[in-house]
Amino acid sequence: MTLQEYDYARESPSKLAASCLLLALTMKNLGGWSPTLEHYSGYRGQDLHPLVKKLNFLLTYQPHDKLKAVRTKYSHKVFFEVAKVTPMDMLKLEEKLKSC
């Protein structure tokens, strides 16, 4: 989804990937940013928080006229229906990120 948004073009791909992983871990209650993830990614969890919030906002207010084919594809069971996952409430996300 970020490929079509100019705001994300200035972010490094590794930071974007790390932020997506942290958002996914948070959304699925699989823990936070561990020392192992910090070591191998090179990013501290606190450094990723602003981008994680921005990504969740993108999921929350996504334009429905863009990327219909991608959304349809990833709504299928083969892809675990990831396009149907509801974004986190911004206040709950903020609360969980503070505890990471």
Side-chain angles (χ1 to χ4, degrees):
M1 291 181 65
T2 60
L3 291 174
Q4 301 233 340
E5 301 292 331
Y6 289 118
D7 292 344
Y8 297 93
R10 68 179 133 234
E11 300 293 344
S12 72
S14 62
K15 187 173 184 179
L16 190 58
S19 298
C20 288
L21 177 59
L22 179 55
L23 179 58
L25 290 171
T26 307
M27 289 174 80
K28 292 294 188 176
N29 293 319
L30 296 174
W33 202 247
S34 69
T36 304
L37 289 170
E38 183 176 326
H39 173 76
Y40 285 107
S41 71
Y43 295 107
R44 294 181 347 172
Q46 293 87 358
D47 297 337
L48 301 175
H49 290 181
L51 189 52
V52 169
K53 293 176 197 174
K54 195 174 169 184
L55 287 165
N56 191 61
F57 185 81
L58 178 65
L59 289 174
T60 305
Y61 298 104
Q62 56 186 309
H64 293 286
D65 57 333
K66 286 185 179 179
L67 305 173
K68 284 186 180 185
V70 174
R71 194 168 292 109
T72 301
K73 176 181 178 178
Y74 287 98
S75 293
H76 196 272
K77 287 181 184 179
V78 173
F79 296 103
F80 304 103
E81 299 177 330
V82 295
K84 294 180 180 179
V85 174
T86 56
M88 288 189 71
D89 178 74
M90 293 302 274
L91 294 175
K92 287 181 183 178
L93 177 62
E94 181 79 37
E95 201 174 283
K96 285 193 172 198
L97 288 176
K98 285 182 184 176
S99 66
C100 289

